[in-house]
Amino acid sequence: MLVYNSLTKKKEEFVPLEEGKVKMYVCGPTVYDYIHIGNARPYVIFDTIRRYLEYKGYEVNYVQNFTDVDDKIIKKANAEGVDSKVISERYIAEAKKDAEGLNVEVATKNPKVTEEIPEIIEMIQTLIDKGYAYEVNGSVFYSTKSFDGYGKLSGKNIDDLEAGARVAVDDAKKSPMDFVLWKPKKDGEPYWTSPWGDGRPGWHIECSVMAKKYLGDTIDIHAGGEDLIFPHHENEIAQSEAANGKPFAKYWLHNGFINVDNKKMSKSLGNFFTLREITAHIPYDVVRFFILSGHYRSPINFSSELMEAAGAGLDRIKNSYKSLLFFESKATGEMNEKEKELNLEADKFKLDFEKAMDNDFNTADAITAIFEISRFANTNVNENSSKEFVTSIREKFLELCNVLGIIPFEENKNSSISEEEIQKLIDERTAAKKEKNFARADEIREELLSKGVVIEDTRAGVRWSYK
Ligand code: AMP
Ligand code: ZN
């Protein structure tokens, strides 16, 4: 399996530190508002990578943080006249709802900065003790020049950066490229007691601390959006490698942006749509499918046309899967010789799928493999197929969908009736029609309709769907 590593800038064979196990850390959102579609991209992409690693048999320890101390959270809290915890907890709950909607697997751990302060203080102290950080009037800064490898991820040169930097507003820093590890308390801000006085951590230190605490000094995969390469991930490397004396992450993975008119979708530019706004009109699974329909490192332009195309593609997959379910419910018996051959032929889609995903998680090509198995099913499965054959094809189809987190059957969580009850009523209606009890047959049709289920009589039998 080849993975593009932003650290070495090439595709490398994926070999985890420990056989069969993957330690993966993904930078999570700053929780001061609903997440936007751009933020949804790393959620979906790294969840899909995790699912694929699990499909390959790895046990994945997946850690994604919530940044719950930040200027923007404090600003919103002050504007609403509430504690900043009220704001962060509100948007953590909302982000979790969105992640669930996107069918993102629950992380092994979602640490929050406010719950990791002792460990943060400990790492800052280690950096001071080892000569990588210094304190000035209650602030602690990391001295980027003291770390030899500074710039190795972003490819930036520290002297060029320094020459290009504006004169520091913050005079306390020895160099404009130094960054803050601990900030002194200001009025109206949350704070904690530390050896350098009351204050709160800077942004970058949290991820170094949480990765170490929950995954260890060296991890397999560190991931996030490409805007995090510099300075956030560069600073994380400087902190972790200086404090632990070991390499930090073996593979660095970064997703490209979701753009609007070729500009990154972001809160600061104001060109964003929250996932909530979008999912008021477009189902979450279409958004997930849209995100997966491009390669994760390429930029995607957000547009309603692309979203519609994603919806149409997903519908094709669902319709094909629904037909399989329908034929499976009617079919009986075992595979004949011809079906055995076809069944073997269908393994090719799984190989195509794996080939795509083994090539740096090419979900676009993986989706093509799913379209191919759906086309194969449409052509080769019908009312004459044996149950064994239909089930086998349907299971191959479903397995691939599951890896991408796509649910190919309609779920209607609002329906008050289970699929079994629906089938029972349909069977009762068929029996009623046979006995020419059309009044009862109509009654059942109405009852199903009132529960959001539409039925359709076809040559091959009764088919149903949610309204
Ligand atoms: P933030 O809350 O801004 O720190 O972002 C949370 C995650 O979303 C980070 O991994 C960012 O890199 C990522 N992200 C933010 N905006 C976009 C975008 N327009 N496209 C793709 N990823 C983004
Ligand atoms: Zn981070």
Side-chain angles (χ1 to χ4, degrees), residues 273-306:
F273 300 98
T274 66
L275 191 52
R276 257 350 129 75
E277 285 167 324
I278 297 293
T279 53
H281 313 285
I282 297 166
Y284 275 104
D285 60 353
V286 174
V287 177
R288 183 172 181 117
F289 197 74
F290 159 79
I291 289 173
L292 293 174
S293 44
H295 188 270
Y296 77 92
R297 285 190 287 116
S298 310
I300 329 182
N301 246 325
F302 178 81
S303 74
S304 47
E305 291 77 26
L306 280 180

PDB file of all heavy atoms in Angstrom, residues 273-306:
ATOM      1  N   PHE A 273     -20.025  27.586   3.877  1.00  0.00           N
ATOM      2  CA  PHE A 273     -21.366  27.078   4.160  1.00  0.00           C
ATOM      3  C   PHE A 273     -21.195  26.081   5.288  1.00  0.00           C
ATOM      4  O   PHE A 273     -20.364  25.181   5.181  1.00  0.00           O
ATOM      5  CB  PHE A 273     -21.949  26.330   2.955  1.00  0.00           C
ATOM      6  CG  PHE A 273     -22.065  27.186   1.737  1.00  0.00           C
ATOM      7  CD1 PHE A 273     -21.085  27.141   0.752  1.00  0.00           C
ATOM      8  CD2 PHE A 273     -23.147  28.036   1.576  1.00  0.00           C
ATOM      9  CE1 PHE A 273     -21.178  27.940  -0.382  1.00  0.00           C
ATOM     10  CE2 PHE A 273     -23.245  28.836   0.442  1.00  0.00           C
ATOM     11  CZ  PHE A 273     -22.264  28.793  -0.535  1.00  0.00           C
ATOM     12  N   THR A 274     -21.970  26.247   6.332  1.00  0.00           N
ATOM     13  CA  THR A 274     -21.863  25.238   7.390  1.00  0.00           C
ATOM     14  C   THR A 274     -22.493  23.960   6.858  1.00  0.00           C
ATOM     15  O   THR A 274     -23.365  23.985   5.976  1.00  0.00           O
ATOM     16  CB  THR A 274     -22.579  25.655   8.691  1.00  0.00           C
ATOM     17  OG1 THR A 274     -23.975  25.728   8.440  1.00  0.00           O
ATOM     18  CG2 THR A 274     -22.059  26.983   9.214  1.00  0.00           C
ATOM     19  N   LEU A 275     -22.048  22.865   7.441  1.00  0.00           N
ATOM     20  CA  LEU A 275     -22.598  21.570   7.036  1.00  0.00           C
ATOM     21  C   LEU A 275     -24.094  21.541   7.359  1.00  0.00           C
ATOM     22  O   LEU A 275     -24.891  20.947   6.624  1.00  0.00           O
ATOM     23  CB  LEU A 275     -21.827  20.480   7.798  1.00  0.00           C
ATOM     24  CG  LEU A 275     -22.026  19.056   7.366  1.00  0.00           C
ATOM     25  CD1 LEU A 275     -21.801  18.877   5.884  1.00  0.00           C
ATOM     26  CD2 LEU A 275     -21.059  18.154   8.136  1.00  0.00           C
ATOM     27  N   ARG A 276     -24.481  22.202   8.439  1.00  0.00           N
ATOM     28  CA  ARG A 276     -25.899  22.252   8.801  1.00  0.00           C
ATOM     29  C   ARG A 276     -26.740  22.942   7.727  1.00  0.00           C
ATOM     30  O   ARG A 276     -27.844  22.504   7.408  1.00  0.00           O
ATOM     31  CB  ARG A 276     -26.066  23.027  10.095  1.00  0.00           C
ATOM     32  CG  ARG A 276     -26.309  22.304  11.348  1.00  0.00           C
ATOM     33  CD  ARG A 276     -26.603  20.860  11.282  1.00  0.00           C
ATOM     34  NE  ARG A 276     -25.727  20.152  12.182  1.00  0.00           N
ATOM     35  CZ  ARG A 276     -25.874  20.147  13.502  1.00  0.00           C
ATOM     36  NH1 ARG A 276     -26.880  20.761  14.072  1.00  0.00           N
ATOM     37  NH2 ARG A 276     -25.015  19.498  14.249  1.00  0.00           N
ATOM     38  N   GLU A 277     -26.194  24.048   7.183  1.00  0.00           N
ATOM     39  CA  GLU A 277     -26.945  24.758   6.121  1.00  0.00           C
ATOM     40  C   GLU A 277     -27.125  23.844   4.918  1.00  0.00           C
ATOM     41  O   GLU A 277     -28.190  23.772   4.323  1.00  0.00           O
ATOM     42  CB  GLU A 277     -26.172  26.007   5.660  1.00  0.00           C
ATOM     43  CG  GLU A 277     -26.217  27.151   6.626  1.00  0.00           C
ATOM     44  CD  GLU A 277     -25.189  28.240   6.289  1.00  0.00           C
ATOM     45  OE1 GLU A 277     -24.067  27.936   5.829  1.00  0.00           O
ATOM     46  OE2 GLU A 277     -25.509  29.398   6.496  1.00  0.00           O
ATOM     47  N   ILE A 278     -26.042  23.156   4.560  1.00  0.00           N
ATOM     48  CA  ILE A 278     -26.082  22.297   3.382  1.00  0.00           C
ATOM     49  C   ILE A 278     -27.013  21.114   3.592  1.00  0.00           C
ATOM     50  O   ILE A 278     -27.830  20.786   2.732  1.00  0.00           O
ATOM     51  CB  ILE A 278     -24.649  21.771   3.063  1.00  0.00           C
ATOM     52  CG1 ILE A 278     -23.728  22.931   2.724  1.00  0.00           C
ATOM     53  CG2 ILE A 278     -24.668  20.725   1.961  1.00  0.00           C
ATOM     54  CD1 ILE A 278     -24.054  23.651   1.450  1.00  0.00           C
ATOM     55  N   THR A 279     -26.921  20.498   4.783  1.00  0.00           N
ATOM     56  CA  THR A 279     -27.711  19.273   4.989  1.00  0.00           C
ATOM     57  C   THR A 279     -29.192  19.568   5.244  1.00  0.00           C
ATOM     58  O   THR A 279     -29.992  18.646   5.349  1.00  0.00           O
ATOM     59  CB  THR A 279     -27.123  18.396   6.111  1.00  0.00           C
ATOM     60  OG1 THR A 279     -26.974  19.208   7.282  1.00  0.00           O
ATOM     61  CG2 THR A 279     -25.787  17.813   5.694  1.00  0.00           C
ATOM     62  N   ALA A 280     -29.547  20.837   5.293  1.00  0.00           N
ATOM     63  CA  ALA A 280     -30.977  21.160   5.333  1.00  0.00           C
ATOM     64  C   ALA A 280     -31.598  20.826   3.968  1.00  0.00           C
ATOM     65  O   ALA A 280     -32.801  20.597   3.863  1.00  0.00           O
ATOM     66  CB  ALA A 280     -31.167  22.639   5.666  1.00  0.00           C
ATOM     67  N   HIS A 281     -30.763  20.808   2.916  1.00  0.00           N
ATOM     68  CA  HIS A 281     -31.260  20.528   1.559  1.00  0.00           C
ATOM     69  C   HIS A 281     -30.712  19.239   0.971  1.00  0.00           C
ATOM     70  O   HIS A 281     -31.337  18.601   0.136  1.00  0.00           O
ATOM     71  CB  HIS A 281     -30.877  21.667   0.598  1.00  0.00           C
ATOM     72  CG  HIS A 281     -31.178  23.010   1.158  1.00  0.00           C
ATOM     73  ND1 HIS A 281     -32.449  23.499   1.227  1.00  0.00           N
ATOM     74  CD2 HIS A 281     -30.372  23.954   1.688  1.00  0.00           C
ATOM     75  CE1 HIS A 281     -32.416  24.701   1.793  1.00  0.00           C
ATOM     76  NE2 HIS A 281     -31.165  24.992   2.086  1.00  0.00           N
ATOM     77  N   ILE A 282     -29.481  18.915   1.357  1.00  0.00           N
ATOM     78  CA  ILE A 282     -28.800  17.770   0.740  1.00  0.00           C
ATOM     79  C   ILE A 282     -28.458  16.759   1.839  1.00  0.00           C
ATOM     80  O   ILE A 282     -27.878  17.146   2.856  1.00  0.00           O
ATOM     81  CB  ILE A 282     -27.502  18.253   0.045  1.00  0.00           C
ATOM     82  CG1 ILE A 282     -27.871  19.216  -1.079  1.00  0.00           C
ATOM     83  CG2 ILE A 282     -26.671  17.096  -0.480  1.00  0.00           C
ATOM     84  CD1 ILE A 282     -26.721  20.005  -1.607  1.00  0.00           C
ATOM     85  N   PRO A 283     -28.807  15.490   1.645  1.00  0.00           N
ATOM     86  CA  PRO A 283     -28.521  14.522   2.714  1.00  0.00           C
ATOM     87  C   PRO A 283     -27.024  14.404   3.012  1.00  0.00           C
ATOM     88  O   PRO A 283     -26.176  14.599   2.141  1.00  0.00           O
ATOM     89  CB  PRO A 283     -29.056  13.200   2.149  1.00  0.00           C
ATOM     90  CG  PRO A 283     -29.956  13.562   1.035  1.00  0.00           C
ATOM     91  CD  PRO A 283     -29.502  14.874   0.499  1.00  0.00           C
ATOM     92  N   TYR A 284     -26.725  14.060   4.248  1.00  0.00           N
ATOM     93  CA  TYR A 284     -25.332  13.893   4.672  1.00  0.00           C
ATOM     94  C   TYR A 284     -24.585  12.892   3.799  1.00  0.00           C
ATOM     95  O   TYR A 284     -23.415  13.074   3.504  1.00  0.00           O
ATOM     96  CB  TYR A 284     -25.289  13.367   6.110  1.00  0.00           C
ATOM     97  CG  TYR A 284     -25.369  14.430   7.180  1.00  0.00           C
ATOM     98  CD1 TYR A 284     -26.544  14.641   7.902  1.00  0.00           C
ATOM     99  CD2 TYR A 284     -24.255  15.190   7.507  1.00  0.00           C
ATOM    100  CE1 TYR A 284     -26.598  15.596   8.920  1.00  0.00           C
ATOM    101  CE2 TYR A 284     -24.306  16.143   8.518  1.00  0.00           C
ATOM    102  CZ  TYR A 284     -25.479  16.339   9.224  1.00  0.00           C
ATOM    103  OH  TYR A 284     -25.521  17.276  10.212  1.00  0.00           O
ATOM    104  N   ASP A 285     -25.274  11.806   3.407  1.00  0.00           N
ATOM    105  CA  ASP A 285     -24.529  10.783   2.660  1.00  0.00           C
ATOM    106  C   ASP A 285     -24.106  11.294   1.276  1.00  0.00           C
ATOM    107  O   ASP A 285     -23.077  10.877   0.744  1.00  0.00           O
ATOM    108  CB  ASP A 285     -25.280   9.442   2.589  1.00  0.00           C
ATOM    109  CG  ASP A 285     -26.641   9.501   1.924  1.00  0.00           C
ATOM    110  OD1 ASP A 285     -27.114  10.613   1.609  1.00  0.00           O
ATOM    111  OD2 ASP A 285     -27.239   8.423   1.729  1.00  0.00           O
ATOM    112  N   VAL A 286     -24.864  12.239   0.737  1.00  0.00           N
ATOM    113  CA  VAL A 286     -24.464  12.835  -0.556  1.00  0.00           C
ATOM    114  C   VAL A 286     -23.222  13.706  -0.348  1.00  0.00           C
ATOM    115  O   VAL A 286     -22.307  13.712  -1.179  1.00  0.00           O
ATOM    116  CB  VAL A 286     -25.629  13.646  -1.182  1.00  0.00           C
ATOM    117  CG1 VAL A 286     -25.171  14.387  -2.436  1.00  0.00           C
ATOM    118  CG2 VAL A 286     -26.815  12.737  -1.493  1.00  0.00           C
ATOM    119  N   VAL A 287     -23.183  14.411   0.778  1.00  0.00           N
ATOM    120  CA  VAL A 287     -22.004  15.239   1.071  1.00  0.00           C
ATOM    121  C   VAL A 287     -20.768  14.337   1.201  1.00  0.00           C
ATOM    122  O   VAL A 287     -19.709  14.627   0.651  1.00  0.00           O
ATOM    123  CB  VAL A 287     -22.209  16.072   2.361  1.00  0.00           C
ATOM    124  CG1 VAL A 287     -20.955  16.864   2.698  1.00  0.00           C
ATOM    125  CG2 VAL A 287     -23.404  17.004   2.218  1.00  0.00           C
ATOM    126  N   ARG A 288     -20.943  13.230   1.912  1.00  0.00           N
ATOM    127  CA  ARG A 288     -19.811  12.289   2.060  1.00  0.00           C
ATOM    128  C   ARG A 288     -19.364  11.773   0.684  1.00  0.00           C
ATOM    129  O   ARG A 288     -18.177  11.747   0.373  1.00  0.00           O
ATOM    130  CB  ARG A 288     -20.209  11.108   2.958  1.00  0.00           C
ATOM    131  CG  ARG A 288     -19.033  10.180   3.187  1.00  0.00           C
ATOM    132  CD  ARG A 288     -19.290   9.085   4.212  1.00  0.00           C
ATOM    133  NE  ARG A 288     -18.074   8.298   4.341  1.00  0.00           N
ATOM    134  CZ  ARG A 288     -17.333   8.165   5.434  1.00  0.00           C
ATOM    135  NH1 ARG A 288     -17.701   8.728   6.553  1.00  0.00           N
ATOM    136  NH2 ARG A 288     -16.220   7.460   5.421  1.00  0.00           N
ATOM    137  N   PHE A 289     -20.334  11.419  -0.122  1.00  0.00           N
ATOM    138  CA  PHE A 289     -20.028  10.884  -1.456  1.00  0.00           C
ATOM    139  C   PHE A 289     -19.333  11.947  -2.324  1.00  0.00           C
ATOM    140  O   PHE A 289     -18.375  11.654  -3.035  1.00  0.00           O
ATOM    141  CB  PHE A 289     -21.333  10.418  -2.113  1.00  0.00           C
ATOM    142  CG  PHE A 289     -21.137   9.506  -3.281  1.00  0.00           C
ATOM    143  CD1 PHE A 289     -20.754   8.190  -3.098  1.00  0.00           C
ATOM    144  CD2 PHE A 289     -21.328   9.963  -4.576  1.00  0.00           C
ATOM    145  CE1 PHE A 289     -20.563   7.337  -4.186  1.00  0.00           C
ATOM    146  CE2 PHE A 289     -21.142   9.129  -5.666  1.00  0.00           C
ATOM    147  CZ  PHE A 289     -20.760   7.806  -5.463  1.00  0.00           C
ATOM    148  N   PHE A 290     -19.798  13.174  -2.208  1.00  0.00           N
ATOM    149  CA  PHE A 290     -19.187  14.299  -2.922  1.00  0.00           C
ATOM    150  C   PHE A 290     -17.709  14.443  -2.522  1.00  0.00           C
ATOM    151  O   PHE A 290     -16.829  14.563  -3.367  1.00  0.00           O
ATOM    152  CB  PHE A 290     -19.978  15.579  -2.600  1.00  0.00           C
ATOM    153  CG  PHE A 290     -19.245  16.869  -2.835  1.00  0.00           C
ATOM    154  CD1 PHE A 290     -19.129  17.383  -4.127  1.00  0.00           C
ATOM    155  CD2 PHE A 290     -18.688  17.586  -1.780  1.00  0.00           C
ATOM    156  CE1 PHE A 290     -18.453  18.589  -4.350  1.00  0.00           C
ATOM    157  CE2 PHE A 290     -18.014  18.785  -2.001  1.00  0.00           C
ATOM    158  CZ  PHE A 290     -17.899  19.282  -3.295  1.00  0.00           C
ATOM    159  N   ILE A 291     -17.450  14.389  -1.224  1.00  0.00           N
ATOM    160  CA  ILE A 291     -16.073  14.550  -0.740  1.00  0.00           C
ATOM    161  C   ILE A 291     -15.187  13.402  -1.241  1.00  0.00           C
ATOM    162  O   ILE A 291     -14.034  13.612  -1.615  1.00  0.00           O
ATOM    163  CB  ILE A 291     -16.059  14.642   0.811  1.00  0.00           C
ATOM    164  CG1 ILE A 291     -16.651  15.996   1.238  1.00  0.00           C
ATOM    165  CG2 ILE A 291     -14.656  14.457   1.376  1.00  0.00           C
ATOM    166  CD1 ILE A 291     -16.864  16.166   2.717  1.00  0.00           C
ATOM    167  N   LEU A 292     -15.751  12.194  -1.298  1.00  0.00           N
ATOM    168  CA  LEU A 292     -14.947  11.043  -1.720  1.00  0.00           C
ATOM    169  C   LEU A 292     -14.784  10.953  -3.229  1.00  0.00           C
ATOM    170  O   LEU A 292     -13.970  10.174  -3.715  1.00  0.00           O
ATOM    171  CB  LEU A 292     -15.586   9.747  -1.196  1.00  0.00           C
ATOM    172  CG  LEU A 292     -15.550   9.581   0.321  1.00  0.00           C
ATOM    173  CD1 LEU A 292     -16.342   8.342   0.729  1.00  0.00           C
ATOM    174  CD2 LEU A 292     -14.115   9.474   0.832  1.00  0.00           C
ATOM    175  N   SER A 293     -15.562  11.744  -3.962  1.00  0.00           N
ATOM    176  CA  SER A 293     -15.488  11.580  -5.418  1.00  0.00           C
ATOM    177  C   SER A 293     -14.256  12.238  -6.038  1.00  0.00           C
ATOM    178  O   SER A 293     -14.001  12.061  -7.225  1.00  0.00           O
ATOM    179  CB  SER A 293     -16.786  11.996  -6.107  1.00  0.00           C
ATOM    180  OG  SER A 293     -17.233  13.178  -5.572  1.00  0.00           O
ATOM    181  N   GLY A 294     -13.462  12.945  -5.244  1.00  0.00           N
ATOM    182  CA  GLY A 294     -12.174  13.459  -5.739  1.00  0.00           C
ATOM    183  C   GLY A 294     -11.041  12.844  -4.935  1.00  0.00           C
ATOM    184  O   GLY A 294     -11.282  12.290  -3.857  1.00  0.00           O
ATOM    185  N   HIS A 295      -9.824  12.921  -5.448  1.00  0.00           N
ATOM    186  CA  HIS A 295      -8.693  12.425  -4.656  1.00  0.00           C
ATOM    187  C   HIS A 295      -8.457  13.376  -3.479  1.00  0.00           C
ATOM    188  O   HIS A 295      -8.575  14.586  -3.642  1.00  0.00           O
ATOM    189  CB  HIS A 295      -7.427  12.304  -5.506  1.00  0.00           C
ATOM    190  CG  HIS A 295      -6.324  11.628  -4.747  1.00  0.00           C
ATOM    191  ND1 HIS A 295      -5.429  12.331  -3.991  1.00  0.00           N
ATOM    192  CD2 HIS A 295      -6.049  10.321  -4.569  1.00  0.00           C
ATOM    193  CE1 HIS A 295      -4.609  11.465  -3.389  1.00  0.00           C
ATOM    194  NE2 HIS A 295      -4.970  10.245  -3.727  1.00  0.00           N
ATOM    195  N   TYR A 296      -8.123  12.823  -2.328  1.00  0.00           N
ATOM    196  CA  TYR A 296      -8.094  13.668  -1.117  1.00  0.00           C
ATOM    197  C   TYR A 296      -7.061  14.789  -1.152  1.00  0.00           C
ATOM    198  O   TYR A 296      -7.199  15.780  -0.444  1.00  0.00           O
ATOM    199  CB  TYR A 296      -7.926  12.818   0.145  1.00  0.00           C
ATOM    200  CG  TYR A 296      -6.516  12.307   0.414  1.00  0.00           C
ATOM    201  CD1 TYR A 296      -5.629  13.027   1.211  1.00  0.00           C
ATOM    202  CD2 TYR A 296      -6.069  11.110  -0.127  1.00  0.00           C
ATOM    203  CE1 TYR A 296      -4.343  12.570   1.462  1.00  0.00           C
ATOM    204  CE2 TYR A 296      -4.792  10.641   0.118  1.00  0.00           C
ATOM    205  CZ  TYR A 296      -3.923  11.379   0.909  1.00  0.00           C
ATOM    206  OH  TYR A 296      -2.653  10.928   1.149  1.00  0.00           O
ATOM    207  N   ARG A 297      -6.010  14.625  -1.983  1.00  0.00           N
ATOM    208  CA  ARG A 297      -5.000  15.698  -2.004  1.00  0.00           C
ATOM    209  C   ARG A 297      -5.316  16.789  -3.028  1.00  0.00           C
ATOM    210  O   ARG A 297      -4.693  17.850  -3.023  1.00  0.00           O
ATOM    211  CB  ARG A 297      -3.615  15.098  -2.288  1.00  0.00           C
ATOM    212  CG  ARG A 297      -3.043  14.384  -1.074  1.00  0.00           C
ATOM    213  CD  ARG A 297      -1.589  14.002  -1.237  1.00  0.00           C
ATOM    214  NE  ARG A 297      -1.385  12.906  -2.155  1.00  0.00           N
ATOM    215  CZ  ARG A 297      -0.717  13.002  -3.300  1.00  0.00           C
ATOM    216  NH1 ARG A 297      -0.186  14.162  -3.663  1.00  0.00           N
ATOM    217  NH2 ARG A 297      -0.581  11.958  -4.076  1.00  0.00           N
ATOM    218  N   SER A 298      -6.262  16.516  -3.916  1.00  0.00           N
ATOM    219  CA  SER A 298      -6.598  17.534  -4.924  1.00  0.00           C
ATOM    220  C   SER A 298      -7.601  18.516  -4.344  1.00  0.00           C
ATOM    221  O   SER A 298      -8.442  18.150  -3.530  1.00  0.00           O
ATOM    222  CB  SER A 298      -7.272  16.886  -6.131  1.00  0.00           C
ATOM    223  OG  SER A 298      -6.511  15.805  -6.576  1.00  0.00           O
ATOM    224  N   PRO A 299      -7.527  19.763  -4.826  1.00  0.00           N
ATOM    225  CA  PRO A 299      -8.572  20.700  -4.379  1.00  0.00           C
ATOM    226  C   PRO A 299      -9.921  20.328  -5.004  1.00  0.00           C
ATOM    227  O   PRO A 299      -9.952  19.724  -6.077  1.00  0.00           O
ATOM    228  CB  PRO A 299      -8.078  22.048  -4.914  1.00  0.00           C
ATOM    229  CG  PRO A 299      -7.091  21.744  -5.980  1.00  0.00           C
ATOM    230  CD  PRO A 299      -6.562  20.369  -5.733  1.00  0.00           C
ATOM    231  N   ILE A 300     -11.009  20.620  -4.317  1.00  0.00           N
ATOM    232  CA  ILE A 300     -12.328  20.436  -4.934  1.00  0.00           C
ATOM    233  C   ILE A 300     -13.005  21.800  -4.900  1.00  0.00           C
ATOM    234  O   ILE A 300     -12.952  22.496  -3.881  1.00  0.00           O
ATOM    235  CB  ILE A 300     -13.311  19.528  -4.143  1.00  0.00           C
ATOM    236  CG1 ILE A 300     -12.642  18.419  -3.332  1.00  0.00           C
ATOM    237  CG2 ILE A 300     -14.421  19.006  -5.024  1.00  0.00           C
ATOM    238  CD1 ILE A 300     -13.669  17.512  -2.615  1.00  0.00           C
ATOM    239  N   ASN A 301     -13.644  22.136  -6.004  1.00  0.00           N
ATOM    240  CA  ASN A 301     -14.438  23.360  -6.001  1.00  0.00           C
ATOM    241  C   ASN A 301     -15.847  23.014  -5.563  1.00  0.00           C
ATOM    242  O   ASN A 301     -16.469  22.124  -6.129  1.00  0.00           O
ATOM    243  CB  ASN A 301     -14.461  23.973  -7.397  1.00  0.00           C
ATOM    244  CG  ASN A 301     -13.746  25.306  -7.404  1.00  0.00           C
ATOM    245  OD1 ASN A 301     -13.803  26.067  -6.424  1.00  0.00           O
ATOM    246  ND2 ASN A 301     -13.077  25.595  -8.492  1.00  0.00           N
ATOM    247  N   PHE A 302     -16.312  23.721  -4.575  1.00  0.00           N
ATOM    248  CA  PHE A 302     -17.658  23.457  -4.099  1.00  0.00           C
ATOM    249  C   PHE A 302     -18.663  24.062  -5.074  1.00  0.00           C
ATOM    250  O   PHE A 302     -18.578  25.233  -5.403  1.00  0.00           O
ATOM    251  CB  PHE A 302     -17.834  24.086  -2.712  1.00  0.00           C
ATOM    252  CG  PHE A 302     -19.207  23.890  -2.177  1.00  0.00           C
ATOM    253  CD1 PHE A 302     -19.554  22.702  -1.581  1.00  0.00           C
ATOM    254  CD2 PHE A 302     -20.163  24.880  -2.304  1.00  0.00           C
ATOM    255  CE1 PHE A 302     -20.831  22.493  -1.107  1.00  0.00           C
ATOM    256  CE2 PHE A 302     -21.443  24.681  -1.833  1.00  0.00           C
ATOM    257  CZ  PHE A 302     -21.779  23.491  -1.238  1.00  0.00           C
ATOM    258  N   SER A 303     -19.597  23.248  -5.565  1.00  0.00           N
ATOM    259  CA  SER A 303     -20.639  23.813  -6.419  1.00  0.00           C
ATOM    260  C   SER A 303     -21.878  22.946  -6.318  1.00  0.00           C
ATOM    261  O   SER A 303     -21.792  21.748  -6.030  1.00  0.00           O
ATOM    262  CB  SER A 303     -20.178  23.869  -7.879  1.00  0.00           C
ATOM    263  OG  SER A 303     -20.185  22.571  -8.429  1.00  0.00           O
ATOM    264  N   SER A 304     -23.033  23.551  -6.564  1.00  0.00           N
ATOM    265  CA  SER A 304     -24.263  22.764  -6.446  1.00  0.00           C
ATOM    266  C   SER A 304     -24.341  21.733  -7.567  1.00  0.00           C
ATOM    267  O   SER A 304     -24.913  20.660  -7.382  1.00  0.00           O
ATOM    268  CB  SER A 304     -25.487  23.657  -6.419  1.00  0.00           C
ATOM    269  OG  SER A 304     -25.402  24.601  -7.424  1.00  0.00           O
ATOM    270  N   GLU A 305     -23.697  22.011  -8.728  1.00  0.00           N
ATOM    271  CA  GLU A 305     -23.701  21.029  -9.825  1.00  0.00           C
ATOM    272  C   GLU A 305     -22.974  19.753  -9.403  1.00  0.00           C
ATOM    273  O   GLU A 305     -23.452  18.643  -9.631  1.00  0.00           O
ATOM    274  CB  GLU A 305     -23.019  21.570 -11.091  1.00  0.00           C
ATOM    275  CG  GLU A 305     -23.759  22.686 -11.805  1.00  0.00           C
ATOM    276  CD  GLU A 305     -23.615  24.027 -11.124  1.00  0.00           C
ATOM    277  OE1 GLU A 305     -22.588  24.234 -10.421  1.00  0.00           O
ATOM    278  OE2 GLU A 305     -24.517  24.880 -11.247  1.00  0.00           O
ATOM    279  N   LEU A 306     -21.799  19.940  -8.769  1.00  0.00           N
ATOM    280  CA  LEU A 306     -21.031  18.761  -8.338  1.00  0.00           C
ATOM    281  C   LEU A 306     -21.786  17.994  -7.264  1.00  0.00           C
ATOM    282  O   LEU A 306     -21.761  16.765  -7.225  1.00  0.00           O
ATOM    283  CB  LEU A 306     -19.666  19.176  -7.800  1.00  0.00           C
ATOM    284  CG  LEU A 306     -18.590  19.479  -8.830  1.00  0.00           C
ATOM    285  CD1 LEU A 306     -17.291  19.881  -8.147  1.00  0.00           C
ATOM    286  CD2 LEU A 306     -18.343  18.256  -9.724  1.00  0.00           C
TER     287      LEU A 306
END
